[in-house]
Amino acid sequence: MKNYAVSIIVPIYNVEKYIAKCATTLFEQNFDSIEYIFVNDCTPDNSMQILQSVIEKYPNRKDDIKIINKPQNEGLGQARKTGFESATGEYILHIDSDDWVELDMVSSLYKKVKEDDADIVCCDYFINYENKEIHHKENYEKAQINWLKAVLIDIIHSYVWNKMCRRSLYQNTTFPKFSYLEDCFISTQLFYFAKKISFIHKPLCHYRKFNTSSLTFNNYSDKLSNDLKQLSISMNDFFVNHNVDNEYKEYFYERILVPIILAIKGNLNKKVNFICPEANHIKYIFKNDSLSFETKIILSTAFFKMDFIPVFFKILYKKTKGF
C-alpha cells in the first residue's frame, strides 16, 4: 500500500462548468505524493464524465486517484466525511470542485507544516469574480492571540479549503449533515483539537464568486433557517461535551447573529429565538471584534426596526467578507 503525504478530497455536485479547471490544477501540482479522492455526491449533470476525460490526460496520476460514488446525495459535509474515511495521507486538504488552486499549493503548505511540525497550516486566497480578482489577506497575526476565537467570530474565515490539517485531527471531528456554514462547525473542532497552527501569507487557492446572487443571504429560506438552527445545536453540543469555557459560546453567538441579521426578512426576534435564542441580544453585535464600529451601528438597527437592513450595506458587507 502506497504511503501518501497528502490526501486531497474533492466533493462533486453540479460543477460541470468548473470541474475541469479544478482537476487540472490539482493534477499539475509540483508535488508527487498526493492521493486524490473525488466524491460523486449523486451529481445530476456531466461532472463525472468531464472529470474522467481530464484524468485520461494525466496517466502519471491515475494510480493515485480514487472515485467514490455515493448511493444518495447527502450534501457537502457528508461528502467530505466519505472522502476522509477513504483517505490515507498524513495530511488532509479539502478542495471545492468549483474552485481552483495555484500549482505550488500542496508543496508550499506541506513544506510549512513539516517545518513547523504544525497540526494545521493556513494560507491566503484569491476571490475571483467574473471581471476581477482580489487577494484576500487573512489576519493571522491577530488570530495568533486566540486561534479558536478567531475562527468563531470570523477574524479568519473558517473555510476548510485554505487549510492543510493533520489527518489525526479529523479522527475526533464530526462532519455535519447541514450545508450552510458546515465549515464553521468543522473548523471549530479542528482548531479546538490542534496544538500547533501555522500560516503563510501567500494566496494559494482561488475562491470562485461568479454567481454572487446565489448565496442564501439574498433569499432567506426555510433551509437556511434550519441549517443555522442545526449549526447552533451542533456547536452547543460540542461545547458541552468538551467542557468548553462559556466565553467561547459567546464568541459563537457573536458569529451566528451576523448571518441571521443579514438574511432576515420579517421578525428578527422570532427568527433568532428559533435558530439560537442565546444569541438574541444586541451586545453580541458590539462585542464582535471582527466588525468595524460603523458595521456594528448598522447591524444594531435590526434590533430596533425588525425588517430593515440597508441593501447597500448587505452588498458591501458580503464583498468585504468574501461571501
Side-chain angles (χ1 to χ4, degrees):
M1 183 176 177
K2 188 172 180 179
N3 294 319
Y4 291 97
V6 179
S7 293
I8 299 179
I9 299 168
V10 187
I12 307 289
Y13 187 81
N14 259 355
V15 287
E16 63 181 12
K17 294 180 180 179
Y18 313 119
I19 184 59
K21 185 168 187 175
C22 175
T24 298
T25 60
L26 294 177
F27 295 148
E28 292 188 1
Q29 290 293 300
N30 63 354
F31 190 85
D32 290 331
S33 187
I34 301 175
E35 175 184 48
Y36 299 92
I37 304 173
F38 295 95
V39 181
N40 175 15
D41 197 22
C42 295
T43 185
D45 63 359
N46 294 316
S47 295
M48 298 312 297
Q49 294 92 319
I50 294 171
L51 172 61
Q52 194 61 53
S53 69
V54 176
I55 291 173
E56 295 301 321
K57 299 176 183 178
Y58 296 91
N60 60 312
R61 296 291 195 185
K62 266 189 157 183
D63 292 341
D64 304 319
I65 297 171
K66 296 178 182 177
I67 294 179
I68 302 173
N69 295 301
K70 291 179 68 69
Q72 62 186 27
N73 174 265
E74 293 184 297
L76 187 56
Q78 291 301 296
R80 296 197 202 280
K81 177 183 179 182
T82 297
F84 171 72
E85 290 172 342
S86 183
T88 62
E90 183 184 5
Y91 292 90
I92 301 293
L93 183 61
H94 292 279
I95 298 296
D96 287 352
S97 49
D98 54 350
D99 298 334
W100 72 97
V101 304
E102 293 292 297
L103 303 188
D104 63 339
M105 181 179 189
V106 177
S107 62
S108 297
L109 293 178
Y110 186 75
K111 179 182 178 183
K112 183 64 174 177
V113 82
K114 296 301 283 187
E115 283 178 352
D116 294 353
D117 191 25
D119 295 311
I120 301 173
V121 62
C122 315
C123 65
D124 291 345
Y125 55 89
F126 294 107
I127 303 173
N128 286 86
Y129 298 92
E130 287 190 35
N131 300 314
K132 65 178 178 179
E133 177 178 272
I134 299 172
H135 174 188
H136 178 83
K137 299 179 180 179
E138 293 276 51
N139 195 347
Y140 295 126
E141 285 74 19
K142 186 175 182 179
Q144 282 182 289
I145 299 171
N146 188 330
W147 283 103
L148 184 55
K149 175 183 177 181
V151 168
L152 283 170
I153 68 172
D154 218 26
I155 288 175
I156 61 170
H157 284 105
S158 57
Y159 303 132
V160 294
W161 39 254
N162 70 328
K163 299 169 181 67
M164 182 179 285
C165 302
R166 199 184 299 273
R167 182 162 61 96
S168 58
L169 280 186
Y170 280 98
Q171 292 173 350
N172 296 317
T173 298
T174 299
F175 290 85
K177 293 183 178 180
F178 54 86
S179 298
Y180 184 68
L181 286 181
E182 50 85 27
D183 48 5
C184 175
F185 182 52
I186 293 173
S187 289
T188 296
Q189 297 173 82
L190 295 173
F191 277 69
Y192 174 80
F193 293 123
K195 292 181 171 59
K196 177 70 182 293
I197 299 167
S198 275
F199 60 89
I200 50 178
H201 274 307
K202 183 178 180 181
L204 293 171
C205 42
H206 294 258
Y207 176 34
R208 190 187 298 270
K209 289 297 294 177
F210 286 7
N211 187 8
T212 55
S213 65
S214 65
L215 191 72
T216 42
F217 277 173
N218 297 316
N219 292 296
Y220 195 83
S221 64
D222 288 341
K223 184 182 186 318
L224 171 57
S225 183
N226 288 326
D227 275 6
L228 287 171
K229 182 179 179 68
Q230 290 306 309
L231 168 65
S232 175
I233 292 170
S234 299
M235 292 288 277
N236 279 312
D237 285 348
F238 176 77
F239 293 145
V240 169
N241 292 337
H242 292 86
N243 297 313
V244 177
D245 291 343
N246 284 333
E247 65 177 310
Y248 291 100
K249 296 180 184 178
E250 296 213 339
Y251 295 146
F252 171 66
Y253 303 151
E254 295 172 27
R255 168 68 179 280
I256 198 171
L257 190 54
V258 173
I260 294 173
I261 291 174
L262 289 173
I264 210 72
K265 290 182 180 179
N267 192 311
L268 174 65
N269 185 65
K270 181 179 178 181
K271 286 293 186 182
V272 179
N273 284 339
F274 172 74
I275 293 167
C276 183
E278 300 90 343
N280 194 0
H281 202 293
I282 196 171
K283 71 178 181 180
Y284 292 124
I285 294 298
F286 287 95
K287 289 177 66 174
N288 192 323
D289 292 341
S290 72
L291 303 176
S292 68
F293 179 74
E294 293 80 5
T295 300
K296 292 175 182 180
I297 293 297
I298 297 174
L299 285 175
S300 68
T301 63
F303 282 89
F304 304 105
K305 192 171 183 181
M306 300 304 184
D307 59 352
F308 174 72
I309 284 289
V311 173
F312 77 89
F313 175 71
K314 283 189 178 184
I315 297 171
L316 177 62
Y317 183 87
K318 287 184 287 183
K319 284 185 176 180
T320 57
K321 280 297 190 181
F323 290 122

